[in-house]
Amino acid sequence: MGLRRSLLIPLIGLLLFLVWMVLYSGNEHTSVEGMHNISLEGTPEGGDFEVDTSDGKIKLSDFKGKVVLLYFGYASCPNVCPSSLSKISLALQNLSQRERSQVKTIFISLDPEHDTVDKIKEYVQYYHGSFIGATVDAAALKKIV
């Protein structure tokens, strides 16, 4: 139970942050009620984007209604990516089938010059069959990040 909780709490925190980003995307000047009108001006805009996968192009909006976990890395990453993807996989395994069906993990390569869509797909499928591997050119990557 302790291991499950230690993995789920950071994952839930990250997912809540992503939901916040989607809900408040495009607002140039937003204030949070109950927080003394603290300005959130200058926060990332968020919004929809498109990436390439071995199965074709996908958009963030394709997963509307689901929790989307974005992970940025590269296929030749020696330490951080493998351990992080393993933790995400373990966290997903601790969810019920219904809960897992509501979560989509997209791994976006930070090295589009070396990571082809097929290479990224093979890499992420090793960690979990539901993970999507994606690439995008450097200019689009900068906008997404």
Side-chain angles (χ1 to χ4, degrees), residues 3-23:
L3 178 62
R4 181 179 179 181
R5 183 175 295 165
S6 68
L7 291 173
L8 287 179
I9 291 173
L11 181 60
I12 290 170
L14 180 59
L15 296 176
L16 289 174
F17 173 74
L18 292 172
V19 169
W20 176 82
M21 292 292 293
V22 171
L23 290 177

Side-chain angles (χ1 to χ4, degrees), residues 45-102:
E45 290 183 17
D48 204 13
F49 59 84
E50 184 176 82
V51 293
D52 297 313
T53 74
S54 63
D55 297 322
K57 294 189 179 294
I58 60 168
K59 294 181 179 182
L60 179 61
S61 59
D62 294 338
F63 305 101
K64 189 171 182 137
K66 294 188 182 286
V67 175
V68 177
L69 174 60
L70 294 178
Y71 189 90
F72 296 89
Y74 54 102
S76 60
C77 177
N79 299 325
V80 175
C81 299
S83 62
S84 296
L85 291 173
S86 294
K87 288 177 184 176
I88 294 169
S89 178
L90 185 58
L92 290 174
Q93 291 173 23
N94 284 304
L95 298 176
S96 71
Q97 179 61 35
R98 186 182 64 74
E99 292 167 329
R100 259 193 317 274
S101 71
Q102 297 303 308

Side-chain angles (χ1 to χ4, degrees), residues 29-40:
H29 188 80
T30 307
S31 63
V32 178
E33 290 185 22
M35 300 211 45
H36 308 289
N37 292 325
I38 296 172
S39 173
L40 298 179

